[in-house]
Amino acid sequence: MRFTIRAGTSASAIADPVMLRALGLPHGGLISVGKTHTRVTGGDTNGPTDLLLDDKTMSNAELRPGASIDVKRVILPVAEVVQFGEHQLEARVLARALQGAPITAGDHVTIEAGYFGGDHDVDLTVTAVEPDIGVVGSTTRFAIGSGPGQVAPASRPSASATRSPVDNNAQSGAQAEHPSTAAALLAGLDNEVELMTGWFSLLATSQDLATSWKLPTVAGMLLEGPNGCGKSELVREAARRAGTQVSEVDISRVFKPEKLLDRLSTSVNAPSGPRVIFVDRLETLTGDDALSTFRTQFVAVLRWFLEEVAAKPQVVCVLGVDTVADLHNSIAKSPLLPRVVSIPPPDLDRRQRLFEAAFSRVPGADDIDSHRLATLSSGYSGADVLAAVVHASSMVTGNGEALTTEIAVEALESTTPSLGSVPMGEITGFGFEKVANLTDVKQRLTEAVIWPMTQPERYERLGIEPPKGIMLYGPPGTGKTFVVKALAHEAGSAFFAVKGAELLDKYVGESERAVRTVFSRARDAAPSIIFFDEFDALAPVRGNSSSSVSDQVVAALLTEIDGVSDRGQVSVIAATNRLDLIDGALLRAGRFETHIKLDLPVKSARLALLKITDVSLAEDVDREELAAQTDGLSFADLTGVLREAALATLRRDETATEVGWSDLEAAIALFDDRRGPSADARGDH
């Protein structure tokens, strides 16, 4: 993100709070600015893109007021050694004065007299940092001299001190990578690393391979995945194992085709040995949001680049993109890029592995409940997970406090998930045993979803295909969402939940892209279930909406549903309260062709729910009578009655363990206005 440098007085940089949120730092954090690094907090500025720096930071960054510069979020390790020029200060003074400060070689720092009882402040120059940059922590050691010198006595390390990973995705390509970064972000990507290593070895190390084996000409591969998922780390690690160099080209801020041509030409013609050219963020050039005037030129430059790489021996390229669907067809389907490697957003299992890998590098973090953190972190990228771990470590560094799961949860909650708007493929935690009654519904869903996944021969024997889409409809609170979640568990499928209203975006092209992304990730995670809730908001009858966005979303849905070729592995289910409001094109055969109605529960269904509820009911509570008195209530309403009664019980007695009849009757009265049709009208029994 680009900022204009302005003069400030605070030791921390000051930026507009809204811009900080856009940077992924809603509560402040560390940034790279010019040739240095500093902390940034939110505060008043003259303009939204102003960044206030004090004289010292501005000097370290080698910037002047008015300079325009890219500022990026960084995650830094705790510095192992910080070396200064000649000085007389003790290590404990340095440790206390610089605790938590980001340090970069070449920085000038000031140690205030109050830290050592002197008469004047002391100015020091950082001559070296190990690793290249870092944050001063309780384990940091201090050395003296312009070159390798004798390490000064270090302050006593605490059990909570951390050696946290660097987020090199957020830094310039010139910054060296700390090994722990790759190790942590690559947790759960063993297969991808092995595959890419093999390709690099094949394409970048032999000049005569294609000719001797009569192989088709190849430039490289596509690497698909959201920002922060570990694409850069994957390329670097695979290249390291294959013994090749990496040249990284970030084109996210290239707005002119001629500049793109210059950058790519420089990379292709660099005089070096076997190498990988990694071009990232392609969606910014060729996606729907690219400048339409130059889109054709951008695509032409990329096609030229692929041909140049293919003609160069011992050179291979990797094109990184959020979603391959965002690319122009001439690039996405180029024969010079025959392979697509996908890194989907981390699911529950991978997030747990990411937390385990990151905390394994934090002393004293052996008892952290990584599974709990994983369940709380849907929508978090790998980089977000690392940021949360670093934040948790910094919360206890230097204060002697032990790092606990609760502190980690607090750090996680203060970390903004960068993938929050993107549906995650999760495995739900309960099955049909939690679904009261609905026997016919569960059977039809089993036949339409589970059988094609587990017993496809049933359909093959009769020469038929399973339904492509299923529509659940009926009054609110009848269990539509709940039964689909249980279905996903029974099927062992990844569950992608999409709320119609949340998917709509006012910006042209964004909603359609979100639709494509959901289907793409569901195919990657197959077997999977895509569940569209509040479907009437997402796909109303075309022409009846006040916005053209809905019409475009309907068109995108039609395209994606028609394109689901492997019906047994990706199931699409939608739910609505108003079937009549949905565009008819989506309800015909071959799309949402199976319609299943969920009515308000009859007495027997309500009784079934009362028998499996986790709410502890007193012995005097007659479940048959309770089911009779809740006529006309939905499953959701009945659950609300139980919850309200339990809360009333606790208000009266905090030690209570059972809910009595009087509290249940009072709770039922609160829900009287929500009753649906009478028992007679519905044939209740």
Side-chain angles (χ1 to χ4, degrees):
M1 187 172 295
R2 204 154 189 87
F3 285 84
T4 300
I5 303 301
R6 306 295 185 193
T9 57
S10 172
S12 295
I14 304 295
D16 180 84
V18 175
M19 299 300 287
L20 279 185
R21 288 198 295 273
L23 268 174
L25 298 172
H27 305 286
L30 301 179
I31 58 173
S32 66
V33 52
K35 294 184 177 290
T36 193
H37 301 78
T38 186
R39 292 193 176 277
V40 63
T41 59
D44 294 331
T45 60
N46 291 328
T49 59
D50 286 349
L51 182 69
L52 307 186
L53 302 179
D54 68 353
D55 292 341
K56 184 73 68 176
T57 305
M58 206 177 300
S59 174
N60 289 335
E62 297 185 6
L63 296 171
R64 295 181 179 180
S68 181
I69 189 169
D70 284 332
V71 173
K72 300 177 182 179
R73 181 183 93 174
V74 295
I75 303 170
L76 304 180
V78 170
E80 296 180 10
V81 179
V82 177
Q83 188 166 278
F84 298 98
E86 294 295 333
H87 66 87
Q88 301 298 319
L89 297 178
E90 296 180 2
R92 59 181 181 84
V93 172
L94 297 173
R96 187 167 63 249
L98 299 174
Q99 187 69 219
I103 296 292
T104 308
D107 280 354
H108 299 281
V109 300
T110 298
I111 309 299
E112 296 179 0
Y115 284 106
F116 56 92
D119 297 326
H120 304 283
D121 299 343
V122 174
D123 293 323
L124 302 177
T125 299
V126 180
T127 57
V129 181
E130 183 183 339
D132 299 309
I133 52 176
V135 176
V136 175
S138 58
T139 57
T140 300
R141 296 173 296 158
F142 300 97
I144 302 173
S146 58
Q150 185 175 356
V151 177
S155 55
R156 183 184 180 122
S158 73
S160 59
T162 178
R163 296 173 60 182
S164 306
V166 180
D167 184 358
N168 286 285
N169 238 1
Q171 299 178 55
S172 68
Q175 294 287 358
E177 178 184 18
H178 195 265
S180 62
T181 304
L185 275 178
L186 293 176
L189 297 179
D190 298 339
N191 292 336
E192 288 79 1
V193 172
E194 184 176 351
L195 186 153
M196 188 167 285
T197 301
W199 268 72
F200 289 175
S201 300
L202 182 69
L203 297 173
T205 60
S206 176
Q207 299 185 28
D208 302 315
L209 189 64
T211 303
S212 59
W213 285 19
K214 295 181 171 58
L215 296 175
T217 302
V218 172
M221 67 183 70
L222 289 164
L223 178 58
E224 175 185 57
N227 289 328
C229 68
K231 293 196 296 289
S232 298
E233 289 73 14
L234 175 61
V235 172
R236 293 168 190 160
E237 177 63 14
R240 184 190 68 79
R241 295 187 184 187
T244 63
Q245 303 176 49
V246 178
S247 174
E248 298 187 34
V249 182
D250 186 348
I251 58 177
S252 60
R253 304 200 69 82
V254 177
F255 300 110
K256 294 183 177 180
E258 55 268 29
K259 287 195 173 184
L260 175 63
L261 181 62
D262 289 342
R263 292 195 181 185
L264 295 180
S265 180
T266 300
S267 297
V268 171
N269 297 313
S272 59
R275 68 188 186 279
V276 176
I277 302 175
F278 179 42
V279 185
D280 200 12
R281 304 296 305 278
L282 277 186
E283 68 273 4
T284 63
L285 296 185
T286 64
D288 290 336
D289 60 343
L291 299 174
S292 57
T293 308
F294 301 112
R295 185 176 182 185
T296 301
Q297 293 171 288
F298 281 131
V299 172
V301 172
L302 288 174
R303 292 172 65 180
W304 166 87
F305 170 70
L306 293 178
E307 292 171 357
E308 287 293 304
V309 172
K312 289 278 187 180
Q314 295 187 298
V315 178
V316 59
C317 71
V318 178
L319 303 189
V321 66
D322 187 19
T323 306
V324 170
D326 293 334
L327 293 174
H328 191 276
N329 272 344
S330 65
I331 304 299
K333 298 183 179 181
S334 171
L336 299 177
L337 299 169
R339 187 76 191 227
V340 178
V341 177
S342 295
I343 307 178
D347 57 13
L348 180 67
D349 178 67
R350 186 165 175 241
R351 292 199 304 275
Q352 181 170 346
R353 296 179 68 175
L354 283 165
F355 277 113
E356 290 171 351
F359 277 118
S360 70
R361 293 160 174 79
V362 180
D366 299 335
D367 297 326
I368 299 295
D369 188 345
S370 294
H371 180 74
R372 179 185 174 189
L373 294 172
T375 61
L376 297 173
S377 56
S378 179
Y380 286 70
S381 68
D384 297 334
V385 169
L386 295 185
V389 172
V390 171
H391 187 191
S393 303
S394 65
M395 291 169 68
V396 298
T397 298
N399 63 12
E401 186 178 354
L403 182 57
T404 64
T405 300
E406 295 306 318
I407 291 175
V409 170
E410 183 182 346
L412 183 66
E413 291 174 345
S414 65
T415 303
T416 303
S418 60
L419 306 177
S421 61
V422 179
M424 300 290 107
E426 303 291 353
I427 302 296
T428 53
F430 59 90
F432 281 158
E433 75 281 354
K434 287 291 186 179
V435 180
N437 206 272
L438 299 183
T439 304
D440 181 62
V441 172
K442 288 188 286 188
Q443 180 61 31
R444 293 188 67 184
L445 289 174
T446 298
E447 296 168 359
V449 177
I450 297 180
W451 285 2
M453 290 181 181
T454 60
Q455 304 175 55
E457 66 277 3
R458 294 193 178 198
Y459 284 84
E460 293 170 0
R461 284 199 303 266
L462 298 177
I464 59 175
E465 291 184 337
K468 190 173 283 188
I470 302 166
M471 181 65 67
L472 305 180
Y473 68 101
T478 51
K480 296 184 289 292
T481 302
F482 194 81
V483 75
V484 178
K485 287 184 177 180
L487 171 70
H489 182 86
E490 293 289 332
S493 301
F495 180 67
F496 292 80
V498 184
K499 280 192 176 292
E502 294 178 359
L503 188 61
L504 294 175
D505 194 291
K506 64 181 178 180
Y507 298 105
V508 176
E510 290 302 312
S511 297
E512 304 98 291
R513 178 182 295 185
V515 170
R516 294 196 302 269
T517 299
V518 170
F519 276 85
S520 174
R521 291 176 179 171
R523 286 190 288 268
D524 290 339
S528 58
I529 294 173
I530 304 174
F531 177 58
F532 292 100
D533 202 3
E534 302 174 4
F535 197 64
D536 48 289
L538 184 62
V541 176
R542 281 176 287 183
N544 289 354
S545 173
S546 59
S547 169
S548 62
V549 175
S550 294
D551 292 352
Q552 294 163 356
V553 170
V554 172
L557 279 169
L558 291 171
T559 300
E560 291 295 335
I561 292 172
D562 290 342
V564 176
S565 57
D566 195 350
R567 300 189 183 190
Q569 297 302 305
V570 179
S571 296
V572 187
I573 304 176
T576 180
N577 303 328
R578 293 284 305 276
L579 192 64
D580 58 303
L581 297 181
I582 295 174
D583 192 287
L586 286 162
L587 300 177
R588 70 167 176 79
R591 290 163 180 171
F592 290 98
E593 56 191 331
T594 300
H595 301 172
I596 302 176
K597 186 177 182 181
L598 281 77
D599 273 316
L600 289 170
V602 298
K603 180 182 176 182
S604 58
R606 298 194 300 274
L607 180 60
L609 175 60
L610 293 172
K611 288 180 178 180
I612 65 173
T613 180
D614 293 328
V615 178
S616 181
L617 302 178
E619 292 185 3
D620 66 334
V621 175
D622 186 335
R623 285 175 169 79
E624 288 270 359
E625 179 62 22
L626 182 57
Q629 290 199 24
T630 52
D631 175 37
L633 295 184
S634 68
F635 282 129
D637 293 334
L638 183 54
T639 301
V641 166
L642 296 173
R643 181 173 55 251
E644 184 60 37
L647 289 173
T649 301
L650 290 174
R651 292 189 200 103
R652 199 175 55 256
D653 181 4
E654 295 182 357
T655 64
T657 58
E658 295 180 335
V659 178
W661 185 254
S662 61
D663 288 326
L664 287 165
E665 285 186 317
I668 291 171
L670 296 175
F671 285 77
D672 276 343
D673 62 337
R674 304 188 188 185
R675 294 182 185 270
S678 66
D680 292 338
R682 293 182 292 111
D684 205 350
H685 58 83

